[in-house]
Amino acid sequence: MNTSFSILRNGALAAALLLPSTLLSAPSFYVSPNGDDANSGAKDKPVRSLQRARDLVRTVNRNSSGDITVYLEAGVFRLVQPLELDARDSGPPGHNIIYTAAGTETPIITGAVPVTGWKLADAARNLWSAPAPPGLRNTRQLFIDGVRAHRASGRLPVKLGKTASGYTAEPAFPSWKNPSDVEFVYTGGNSLWTEHSEGLGAWTEPRCPVASIEGATITMVQPCWDNSTRRIMLPRSSGYTRTVNLVGPASIGKAPVSVENAYELLGTPGQWYFDRSTSTIYYVPRPGEDLATADVEAPVLEKLIVGQGAEGQPIHNIIFRNLEFTGATWLYPSGPQGFSEIQANYMVTGTNGWAVQGLCHLTPNGECPYGDWTKTPGNISFSRDQQIQFLRCAFVHLGGAGLELGDGSQSDLVEGCVFTDISANGLELGGVDRPDATGGDITRENRIVNNHIYDVAAEFHGGIGLCVGYAQRTVIQHNQLDHLPYSAISMGWGGWPDKIKQAGVSNFSENNRVADNLIFDHMLLLADGAAIYTQGLTG
């Protein structure tokens, strides 16, 4: 696998990314891609898996008088399951557990598998095929020599008219194989202000899968279709009464901007399609790519690392340093919920989400709190945690959000890291489901400093470089954010009721600091956003 970590050493950021060394103390364990989990974990007898290293740490971390270090030797660590951490994996009293590179080369932690055995399938289209690796049932991403390929896409081949369950085509839709693989994409943007608006607003790019295509009848998958076409954009009240007008948007009922994930759309270099019915991957190489020697990676896992604390038992004092996290997917949008985006990669979900989810007192039977929609998850995620640190790490080639520090993340530090080529939000802090949280569920006193976030929201273009929900005493400083399709930094939530003369959601946010960040080349595709976007009551 080609590492992307060299980007840390390029450009003006290189000097800023140098951090002081951390003093380390015994005990220590070693992990190597060529190790053996039957080994002791000593330097000359490394184990092979991160799970085995975690288990070895558990045998000593309650009795250690110093930091415990897990050294990862250079190479590629291919996970077959996520590394799951809980309170048992916390640092000893007053000390840390440190997962770090053993040398100067950056270890790569990936949930992808290599794709080999390529052969020419259609010379006229320069179309190549390869059998799906064992265990790969579906993925939304493919990377060739460290460069993201794009799912086959194109314009609609017919004109569409909206129906209650989808569309009618004129003339009849072409006879495509695997029509249930097809996905319609509705891109917002500046076109919102014209009669050709799409999406669920200028700041969104919803996606809905197709259920079936039979001649001129196109049926869309539920509940994505209802959640997208019937969703309440903004309940309207008459004066100060509770009379609510439940009127949804019409824009997604128009023709999609593009169609994705069909074999028949292949032909453009750099595009691919996974035919799950035959377990075959198709790809059209870019100029200069040689599939006989190329490193082709297909993500399998949706999570690489999951750290979960419990009430009164936070997971704490773990440091990740000089590591690269890569090769994860996120399959939720390929299912019946699709990707009914409302803002910042938050989605309307559920069988009647369009009518009740997150609408609280503003609609009959609304679910509280207001604005509690479904968040895109991180491929690396922590919650109910304290003193978690990511230092000089790279988050690249990921299919969900990059790093999620969720509800109850406290006193965490993300410093000197690079986030790039991530499908959704780059870095997520906090959530929007617990505005009244207390104690260990408050997201507070986290620092996000000296990082480079660029070319994220590569697939779900309404994503944010750095997305913060409800949080307090956060420091976001000395970061560079650039080349983003929508907003760079977003902070806060639940402010829409002020448009109907009602108070925004009361929450625990306060004293957050956003300062001295370099932001440019943002809002490249969508509209109604900003370099720094604040929303709701932020204290």
Side-chain angles (χ1 to χ4, degrees):
M1 170 179 284
N2 286 359
T3 177
S4 305
F5 202 75
S6 59
I7 54 181
L8 287 175
R9 306 185 186 96
N10 294 336
L13 282 180
L17 295 176
L18 296 177
L19 302 175
S21 299
T22 301
L23 295 176
L24 305 177
S25 60
S28 60
F29 300 98
Y30 286 79
V31 194
S32 169
N34 301 315
D36 187 330
D37 278 353
N39 287 342
S40 65
K43 186 173 184 180
D44 59 342
K45 292 184 178 180
V47 297
R48 183 181 183 89
S49 71
L50 297 181
Q51 283 80 4
R52 180 55 180 157
R54 173 205 61 194
D55 292 345
L56 289 172
V57 169
R58 286 178 177 176
T59 66
V60 299
N61 66 343
R62 292 303 89 193
N63 299 316
S64 174
S65 60
D67 291 344
I68 302 171
T69 305
V70 177
Y71 290 103
L72 279 67
E73 296 183 359
V76 178
F77 292 84
R78 294 191 181 275
L79 302 182
V80 296
Q81 60 186 5
L83 176 63
E84 296 182 350
L85 305 173
D86 57 34
R88 294 173 294 171
D89 304 300
S90 300
H95 297 282
N96 299 302
I97 295 173
I98 304 169
Y99 292 82
T100 186
T104 57
E105 293 188 37
T106 304
I108 299 171
I109 299 171
T110 180
V113 293
V115 181
T116 59
W118 292 94
K119 63 180 181 180
L120 186 62
D122 186 337
R125 292 193 289 173
N126 191 29
L127 181 62
W128 292 69
S129 68
L136 180 63
R137 297 182 179 179
N138 197 12
T139 187
R140 293 181 64 93
Q141 292 81 33
L142 191 71
F143 302 96
I144 292 84
D145 286 336
V147 179
R148 179 184 291 253
H150 298 281
R151 297 201 305 172
S153 65
R155 307 296 294 185
L156 273 169
V158 295
K159 293 183 178 180
L160 299 181
K162 182 177 179 258
T163 68
S165 59
Y167 301 99
T168 56
E170 183 183 345
F173 205 92
S175 181
W176 285 1
K177 66 176 182 176
N178 303 327
S180 61
D181 284 350
V182 175
E183 198 168 280
F184 285 178
V185 183
Y186 305 83
T187 305
N190 289 320
S191 60
L192 177 73
W193 315 119
T194 74
E195 62 180 356
H196 305 293
S197 63
E198 310 295 348
L200 294 180
W203 55 93
T204 68
E205 189 181 68
R207 298 164 170 264
C208 273
V210 171
S212 65
I213 300 176
E214 298 178 1
T217 301
I218 301 173
T219 303
M220 302 299 291
V221 162
Q222 293 286 15
C224 184
W225 181 246
D226 279 351
N227 285 340
S228 300
T229 59
R230 303 177 69 183
R231 180 176 67 79
I232 300 166
M233 287 292 285
L234 182 68
R236 297 171 182 170
S237 64
S238 175
Y240 293 98
T241 71
R242 293 292 178 84
T243 302
V244 178
N245 179 20
L246 305 181
V247 178
S251 57
I252 199 172
K254 297 183 179 181
V257 170
S258 61
V259 183
E260 276 194 11
N261 205 38
Y263 173 85
E264 289 75 11
L265 295 171
L266 286 166
T268 301
Q271 291 194 350
W272 69 286
Y273 169 70
F274 184 13
D275 188 339
R276 291 177 292 160
S277 66
T278 62
S279 295
T280 305
I281 298 174
Y282 294 92
Y283 177 64
V284 181
R286 299 178 178 94
E289 289 179 337
D290 182 356
L291 294 180
T293 59
D295 172 30
V296 182
E297 301 280 337
V300 176
L301 296 185
E302 295 187 73
K303 291 284 190 179
L304 300 180
I305 298 178
V306 180
Q308 177 71 55
E311 185 173 359
Q313 292 182 309
I315 182 173
H316 61 85
N317 289 91
I318 304 176
I319 298 174
F320 300 91
R321 189 176 61 195
N322 290 340
L323 305 175
E324 179 173 320
F325 303 99
T326 186
T329 189
W330 179 50
L331 299 177
Y332 191 90
S334 297
Q337 300 289 345
F339 189 73
S340 183
E341 184 179 36
I342 191 167
Q343 185 165 326
N345 284 180
Y346 279 82
M347 303 165 288
V348 180
T349 61
T351 54
N352 63 339
W354 65 274
V356 299
Q357 187 184 21
L359 295 177
C360 206
H361 62 279
L362 296 180
T363 186
N365 302 312
E367 296 175 350
C368 297
Y370 179 79
D372 180 15
W373 294 295
T374 302
K375 178 169 62 173
T376 296
N379 294 129
I380 298 91
S381 65
F382 281 81
S383 60
R384 279 184 170 164
D385 58 273
Q386 296 177 357
Q387 298 285 351
I388 303 299
Q389 299 183 38
F390 288 88
L391 309 177
R392 297 195 299 267
C393 291
F395 301 81
V396 297
H397 309 327
L398 298 172
L403 172 61
E404 176 188 4
L405 300 175
D407 289 336
S409 291
Q410 301 181 351
S411 301
D412 293 347
L413 171 65
V414 182
E415 184 172 9
C417 294
V418 165
F419 297 78
T420 189
D421 195 22
I422 296 169
S423 289
N425 294 325
L427 195 163
E428 296 176 338
L429 177 64
V432 302
D433 57 331
R434 301 290 302 274
D436 56 352
T438 59
D441 290 325
I442 292 179
T443 301
R444 59 178 173 82
E445 294 169 347
N446 298 288
R447 298 176 61 226
I448 301 169
V449 295
N450 199 28
N451 303 287
H452 190 188
I453 303 173
Y454 69 102
D455 284 333
V456 302
E459 181 179 356
F460 307 106
H461 294 128
I464 311 289
L466 173 50
C467 187
V468 183
Y470 300 127
Q472 60 182 225
R473 295 190 289 280
T474 308
V475 174
I476 300 173
Q477 194 166 19
H478 295 151
N479 301 285
Q480 178 172 315
L481 302 98
D482 59 273
H483 292 88
L484 305 168
Y486 183 50
S487 297
I489 298 173
S490 180
M491 177 171 287
W493 203 251
W496 297 280
D498 65 4
K499 299 180 185 298
I500 53 173
K501 299 182 180 180
Q502 297 189 31
V505 176
S506 176
N507 64 83
F508 60 79
S509 297
E510 64 178 13
N511 295 322
N512 296 301
R513 177 177 174 83
V514 181
D516 304 311
N517 299 285
L518 176 60
I519 302 173
F520 60 93
D521 287 344
H522 56 289
M523 304 297 299
L524 294 179
L525 178 63
L526 302 184
D528 199 355
I532 301 172
Y533 187 115
T534 61
Q535 226 265 58
L537 305 176
T538 55

